[in-house]
């Protein structure tokens, strides 16, 4: 996208992006008990990066976090999800059966924390993949669109 | 429940769907699809499905519109009408 010298768009984006990201984190954490969840929160987080790309151009956003960073993020998300899942297998439960870990360690309400870790993994993964798709499609033969 | 509101929303949604496939300009079709997604979000929320409404609002109106616009920006207009 072309970098516009529009002070209104830039200022509004600079003000809105932190609030969008905090709302995305709220949606991810709140997902266990209400509407929302890892996928929706991840998409909202990716939308904040899209807003930054539209307002400040692809180059200046890519300087902060590039495709390599997003690749690391997506791998971390997968490992958080699958790691908790296989940890439940180690504690003689089914895949993602949080109650097995809670019963074996004897810590109350541990399953809620584990659900949050799994949701955070899903959210990180969705955010990374969505944003890297946007990066790749907004770039045209080496030069940004 | 509020069947008049339901009726108006459904009518407007069908109008948006027909308009999205009949307009010539692809950019106009994308914006009309975003409006379609917005109405769909209200309908899902009214049908007591907040999770689906949330997904529709974020993916349907947010990411898909940006993806379509970025894809249209990479194409060239071949016909002159």
């Amino acid at each position: 996208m072309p970098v516009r010298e529009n002070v209104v768009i830039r200022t509004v984006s600079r003000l809105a992006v932190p609030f969008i990201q905090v709302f995305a984190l709220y949606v991810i954490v709140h997902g266990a008990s209400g509407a929302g969840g890892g996928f929706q929160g991840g998409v909202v987080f990716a939308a904040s990066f899209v807003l930054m790309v539209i307002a400040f151009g692809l180059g200046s956003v890519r300087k902060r976090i590039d495709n390599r960073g997003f690749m690391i993020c997506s791998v971390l998300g997968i490992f958080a999800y699958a790691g908790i899942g296989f940890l439940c297998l180690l504690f003689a439960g089914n895949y993602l059966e949080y109650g097995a870990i809670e019963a074996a360690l004897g810590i109350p309400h541990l399953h809620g924390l584990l659900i949050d870790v799994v949701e955070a993994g899903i959210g990180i993964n969705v955010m990374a993949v969505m944003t890297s798709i946007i990066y790749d499609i907004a770039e045209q033969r080496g030069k940004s669109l | 429940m509020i069947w008049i509101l339901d009726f108006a929303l459904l009518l407007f949604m069908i109008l948006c769907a027909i308009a999205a496939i009949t307009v010539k300009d692809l950019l106009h079709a994308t914006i009309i699809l975003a409006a379609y997604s917005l109405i769909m979000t209200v309908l899902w929320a009214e049908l007591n499905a907040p999770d689906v409404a949330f997904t529709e609002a974020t993916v349907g109106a947010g990411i898909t519109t940006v993806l379509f616009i970025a894809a249209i920006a990479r194409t060239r207009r071949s016909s002159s009408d």
Side-chain angles (χ1 to χ4, degrees):
Chain A
M1 314 247 170
V3 183
R4 298 172 199 84
E5 294 299 325
N6 193 330
V7 71
V8 175
I9 291 177
R10 292 191 161 208
T11 311
V12 170
S13 314
R14 192 170 289 150
L15 285 174
V17 162
F19 287 102
I20 295 173
Q21 292 182 344
V22 169
F23 180 65
L25 295 179
Y26 166 74
V27 169
I28 290 175
V29 175
H30 192 67
S33 58
F39 182 79
Q40 286 94 332
V43 173
V44 173
F45 214 99
S48 77
F49 279 105
V50 171
L51 185 61
M52 279 198 281
V53 168
I54 289 173
F56 303 112
L58 187 60
S60 60
V61 182
R62 183 168 269 181
K63 252 184 284 180
R64 303 276 178 91
I65 180 164
D66 54 354
N67 269 337
R68 184 184 162 79
F70 282 127
M71 207 53 67
I72 293 169
C73 279
S74 66
V75 171
L76 276 181
I78 284 287
F79 268 103
Y81 185 93
I84 297 292
F86 283 115
L87 203 64
C88 298
L89 288 184
L90 282 184
F91 282 94
N94 288 322
Y95 190 74
L96 289 177
E97 186 186 345
Y98 313 108
I101 300 180
E102 191 178 329
L105 294 182
I107 304 171
H109 305 302
L110 185 65
H111 67 280
L113 258 173
L114 294 175
I115 289 174
D116 277 347
V117 173
V118 166
E119 294 275 356
I122 299 169
I124 291 169
N125 194 4
V126 169
M127 181 270 294
V129 173
M130 286 274 179
T131 319
S132 63
I133 289 172
I134 296 287
Y135 270 17
D136 283 344
I137 208 165
E139 185 184 57
Q140 202 168 30
R141 289 189 207 90
K143 74 178 200 309
S144 65
L145 199 85
Chain B
M1 257 178 274
I2 321 167
W3 71 272
I4 301 173
L5 181 68
D6 266 0
F7 192 75
L9 283 173
L10 284 169
L11 193 71
F12 200 58
M13 194 184 81
I14 293 168
L15 280 181
C16 278
I18 293 171
I21 57 173
T22 46
V23 291
K24 279 283 184 190
D25 198 321
L26 290 177
L27 201 58
H28 297 174
T30 307
I31 302 302
I32 292 170
L33 264 184
Y36 169 87
S37 267
L38 188 70
I39 301 162
M40 202 73 199
T41 303
V42 179
L43 278 172
W44 284 128
E46 213 223 336
L47 290 169
N48 287 327
D51 252 324
V52 189
F54 211 121
T55 313
E56 181 77 37
T58 51
V59 179
I63 296 294
T64 315
T65 308
V66 174
L67 271 181
F68 278 155
I69 289 175
I72 289 167
R74 298 185 73 151
T75 60
R76 268 195 318 275
R77 183 186 289 266
S78 56
S79 67
S80 58
D81 56 355

